[in-house]
Amino acid sequence: MNKTATYRITVNASTENLSEVRDFIALHAKKQGFSRKEVSDLQLAVDEAYTNIIKHAYKNSNNENVEINLSFDPDKLCISLFDSGNSFKPESYDLPDIRKKMKERKRGGMGVYLIHQLMDSVSYHAQPDKNEIRLCKKRT
Amino acid sequence: MKNFKINHRESSGLDVLDLHGELDAHTASQLEESLKLLINSNKSNIIVNCSELDYIASAGLGVFMAYIEDVRSSGGDIKLTNMNERVYNVFDLLGFPTLYDILEDEQDAVERFSNEN
């Protein structure tokens, strides 16, 4: 169960594929022995990262792809999402002021905070031809 | 959209939305439409029953953020009930329990509305 393994999926960057992406994460994380709660956390973190790529890297344009790599090793799981859109790095990882947003009838800006709450480490790597967001979670 | 569904019903003179399935950036627009329909017909005492809601991402929470002020400014509220632990955890991580009425059971929300009105 703890041996090193990698899995990859490439999906069109569309919110239509969110459930497919969550299913892909759950399938492999369950097989690798992550608990139900951990699987939920991983699904949500990847959902938020993938949604941000659709909105911010690709600005909701169709016909773009996101590649997702899962890499299990004995002490942790790392999930990388690659895109070839605009590189972006969030300015803040802090808890957003939800009360203020409510008053202003605004939404959004919560995904990055959630990702950082759910994962043990989060890093961004912008290369000339592609961007990577890498999310890692230790095995407990 | 097969993985998300909303039913609307009336109960004790209140409007109840039953959410089923997975609420994410794709399905959030359905919740938005349902809330807008109620608000546009001047319905402002709304219960959202989450007993069949399996999953929520921040895009789903965003819909509640965008419309709560409209509802409250006309004297009503959106009360959320019957969340499973996994769904509640997402609301909790973002601090929603101090900003929204999140109740164990739909009946608790009915009682709270009747005490408020």
Side-chain angles (χ1 to χ4, degrees):
Chain A
M1 194 113 86
N2 282 349
K3 69 179 188 215
T4 301
T6 60
Y7 303 93
R8 176 177 304 173
I9 187 177
T10 300
V11 282
N12 183 248
S14 162
T15 56
E16 277 177 33
N17 297 323
L18 274 164
S19 59
E20 182 187 344
V21 168
R22 291 193 299 269
D23 289 348
F24 171 74
I25 302 298
L27 172 73
H28 295 293
K30 271 183 207 162
K31 271 193 204 161
Q32 287 276 334
F34 282 87
S35 71
R36 198 162 166 241
K37 166 81 168 72
E38 289 170 326
V39 171
S40 291
D41 289 353
L42 293 167
Q43 285 181 301
L44 181 57
V46 172
D47 177 317
E48 299 290 345
Y50 176 72
T51 300
N52 276 349
I53 289 170
I54 294 167
K55 280 184 357 197
H56 302 298
Y58 291 136
K59 311 278 185 206
N60 297 304
S61 73
N62 295 325
N63 302 319
E64 303 284 358
N65 288 329
V66 179
E67 181 188 316
I68 302 171
N69 282 359
L70 306 188
S71 162
F72 294 90
D73 72 27
D75 62 338
K76 66 178 186 301
L77 159 63
C78 286
I79 304 167
S80 288
L81 292 92
F82 296 96
D83 68 77
S84 53
N86 303 316
S87 64
F88 68 97
K89 192 177 173 191
E91 287 166 13
S92 168
Y93 310 138
D94 297 338
L95 177 63
D97 188 339
I98 306 284
R99 192 182 298 272
K100 183 162 174 274
K101 284 175 184 277
M102 281 162 56
K103 293 273 177 226
E104 294 169 353
R105 295 165 171 76
K106 283 185 181 163
R107 69 183 87 183
M110 298 179 284
V112 172
Y113 174 78
L114 278 179
I115 293 168
H116 281 262
Q117 293 299 303
L118 299 165
M119 303 301 292
D120 293 313
S121 75
V122 182
S123 57
Y124 295 85
H125 309 277
Q127 294 157 19
D129 57 338
K130 64 178 171 184
N131 310 303
E132 176 186 5
I133 174 171
R134 187 173 168 82
L135 316 172
C136 297
K137 191 156 182 91
K138 290 179 202 142
R139 288 183 187 270
T140 50
Chain B
M1 279 162 258
K2 63 177 173 18
N3 63 336
F4 183 70
K5 186 159 70 95
I6 302 181
N7 284 333
H8 171 235
R9 62 189 158 88
E10 288 180 21
S11 167
S12 312
L14 305 166
D15 287 275
V16 183
L17 297 177
D18 292 300
L19 310 189
H20 302 255
E22 300 176 340
L23 185 53
D24 61 19
H26 193 62
T27 57
S29 57
Q30 291 180 66
L31 174 61
E32 180 154 10
E33 288 309 311
S34 296
L35 280 177
K36 273 202 267 187
L37 268 177
L38 291 176
I39 292 166
N40 291 341
S41 2
N42 299 316
K43 308 276 195 167
S44 58
N45 290 336
I46 301 166
I47 296 173
V48 178
N49 186 317
C50 302
S51 67
E52 301 298 321
L53 185 66
D54 300 319
Y55 176 85
I56 192 164
S58 70
L61 277 71
V63 177
F64 295 115
M65 285 162 63
Y67 292 97
I68 189 75
E69 200 59 24
D70 288 341
V71 171
R72 287 183 180 164
S73 64
S74 52
D77 197 14
I78 299 172
K79 300 191 192 295
L80 302 152
T81 73
N82 301 78
M83 284 181 194
N84 73 32
E85 194 183 338
R86 160 181 164 146
V87 167
Y88 180 80
N89 185 44
V90 184
F91 281 91
D92 193 33
L93 279 172
L94 288 162
F96 275 57
T98 58
L99 305 169
Y100 286 76
D101 241 348
I102 300 177
L103 301 154
E104 282 279 320
D105 191 74
E106 185 179 320
Q107 193 53 38
D108 300 338
V110 172
E111 284 164 20
R112 187 139 329 169
F113 270 122
S114 73
N115 292 338
E116 285 168 2
N117 293 332

